[in-house]
Amino acid sequence: MVSARPAVQALPAYRPGRNPADLARELGVARAVKLASNEVAFPPLPAVVEALATAAAETNRYPDNGAVALTGALSARYGVDPAQVVPGCGAVMLCQQLAQSFNDPGTAIAFAWRSFEMYPLLAQVAGARSITVPLVPGRAGGAADTHDLDALAAAVDESTRLVFVCNPNNPTGTAVRRPELERFLDAVPAQTLVVLDEAYREFVTDPDVPDGIELMRGRPNVVVLRTFSKAWGLAGLRVGYLVAEDPAVADAVRRTHVPFSVSMLAQAAAVAALASEDEVRRRVAAVVAERDRLTAALRGRGFDVADSQANFVWLPTGERTAELAAALEARGVITRPFPGEGVRVTVGAPDEDDVLLAALDEIAAATPTP
């Protein structure tokens, strides 16, 4: 009998958010809403639809393995050399490529916890140790747990090859500011690569939260990850990118690229999306406004919701998490629970968020007062 590696056998199965149409049928209701996957509620950009229609006529051919047009558009946007840019099949695939490129068995990957749930899995598959540093506990009044960068820097040892800093952090939505992040980057040893995972950068409104690409400049051990899956509305096409200060780092990541994994459609759509930045900014502004409305409404219902810098909010519900998520799902609202910790809720369209708020009111009305 052929057996998989023990590290692979021990991996938990990925559980995506439920399909809302399936849940609606199960509940016998007209509609269920999915607020679990941090997608944007807007339809694809018109220029993206047009680009997809054009590219579809060529899908009998392999895509450009080097994604030259997309790489060029990104290098021009950020004022870097094309050799510093690596497109990938979503930012999460680039995370995997980073681990493949820099981690041997016995080395380590450091990150805050809780943070993006792929980080410990990357370490496990690479045979690397996970160095986890607890988030700084939040306080009442809208502050949620966030990175303890001083502790993270202190935890880095000679075996640490990668450090992930998810900023804004998934799932808490909190972000670290410039002084703390600059101090951290200056403290990390030159032989350790710092990965600033900025999947939600476009939704940041706090002026003190720095642009990672600007902080990257002049720091050869820093790379920045971003994605087209969130603000740019291309979640179904799987395309992200890495920008490295040191072209040699980008070259190493490029060497672990699965050939042709960034599809022809994804490349065409991403180039078209970049050319539609004004419309993307308008859509992001609408998401931010709805984020503010949803945050205020949740606080008005007694939830200690942080000031999120992403397109989701975090409900720190502790031991009530599984019960609350199940009660919401029974009312046609799909969220992302982290049992024992909290519930992450994507900012949806206003009518979707109203379904969530109504469900919370129903749950509160049905809960006995202690």
Side-chain angles (χ1 to χ4, degrees):
M1 177 179 175
V2 178
S3 297
R5 292 170 51 214
V8 172
Q9 291 178 336
L11 288 174
Y14 180 71
R15 296 180 61 186
R18 292 197 61 183
N19 184 303
D22 291 343
L23 179 60
R25 282 193 295 271
E26 179 183 308
L27 297 176
V29 297
R31 179 196 191 197
V33 298
K34 182 182 178 184
L35 302 176
S37 298
N38 298 341
E39 304 144 328
V40 292
F42 295 99
L45 294 156
V48 165
V49 174
E50 183 178 347
L52 290 173
T54 300
E58 299 293 328
T59 51
N60 58 306
R61 306 292 185 184
Y62 283 111
D64 173 12
N65 192 53
V68 172
L70 177 55
T71 299
L74 288 167
S75 67
R77 186 174 194 269
Y78 293 114
V80 297
D81 191 277
Q84 296 173 255
V85 178
V86 186
C89 184
V92 69
M93 177 61 79
L94 288 162
C95 288
Q96 181 172 314
Q97 289 175 241
L98 283 161
Q100 290 173 329
S101 300
F102 295 100
N103 281 99
D104 286 315
T107 61
I109 299 175
F111 47 89
W113 196 251
R114 174 170 292 274
S115 191
F116 182 38
E117 58 197 302
M118 277 300 299
Y119 299 155
L121 304 184
L122 294 171
Q124 191 169 334
V125 171
R129 289 185 300 114
S130 287
I131 299 175
T132 59
V133 175
L135 298 172
V136 176
R139 63 187 185 278
D145 298 355
T146 191
H147 281 72
D148 185 343
L149 290 182
D150 290 339
L152 187 58
V156 171
D157 61 23
E158 66 280 356
S159 72
T160 308
R161 296 293 176 266
L162 296 178
V163 181
F164 283 97
V165 179
C166 191
N167 199 41
N169 187 46
N170 178 9
T172 61
T174 53
V176 292
R177 294 180 169 85
R178 180 179 297 275
E180 295 88 350
L181 193 50
E182 287 183 334
R183 185 170 67 246
F184 170 77
L185 294 177
D186 291 340
V188 173
Q191 68 270 20
T192 299
L193 188 65
V194 178
V195 183
L196 301 179
D197 187 345
E198 296 189 335
Y200 301 95
R201 171 65 203 173
E202 291 84 357
F203 301 104
V204 171
T205 54
D206 184 342
D208 293 328
V209 176
D211 182 324
I213 290 178
E214 295 309 311
L215 290 189
M216 174 202 77
R217 300 183 196 276
R219 292 183 167 95
N221 68 327
V222 175
V223 302
V224 178
L225 289 177
R226 292 194 182 164
T227 183
F228 286 94
S229 294
K230 311 303 181 186
W232 302 89
L234 303 184
L237 290 171
R238 308 306 303 131
V239 56
Y241 57 97
L242 174 152
V243 183
E245 175 66 4
D246 185 353
V249 171
D251 179 66
V253 175
R254 207 174 285 114
R255 289 170 186 267
T256 61
H257 168 76
V258 175
F260 309 116
S261 59
V262 184
S263 74
M264 181 184 296
L265 296 177
Q267 292 181 41
V271 171
L274 286 171
S276 303
E277 187 166 355
D278 288 345
E279 175 59 24
V280 171
R281 289 182 183 276
R282 284 190 289 270
R283 292 180 173 197
V284 166
V287 172
V288 167
E290 179 61 10
R291 180 181 74 193
D292 292 344
R293 183 185 81 94
L294 180 60
T295 298
L298 290 167
R299 287 176 180 167
R301 287 162 171 79
F303 291 97
D304 183 21
V305 181
D307 292 326
S308 174
Q309 294 296 310
N311 70 329
F312 55 84
V313 295
W314 172 249
L315 309 184
T317 47
E319 295 305 316
R320 298 172 44 227
T321 295
E323 179 184 359
L324 176 61
L328 286 169
E329 192 164 302
R331 290 164 175 80
V333 181
I334 304 165
T335 58
R336 178 66 174 89
F338 295 81
E341 299 178 64
V343 177
R344 192 190 68 197
V345 179
T346 303
V347 177
D351 65 308
E352 293 176 322
D353 293 338
D354 285 343
V355 174
L356 165 73
L357 295 171
L360 289 171
D361 290 341
E362 282 187 20
I363 294 167
T367 303
T369 303

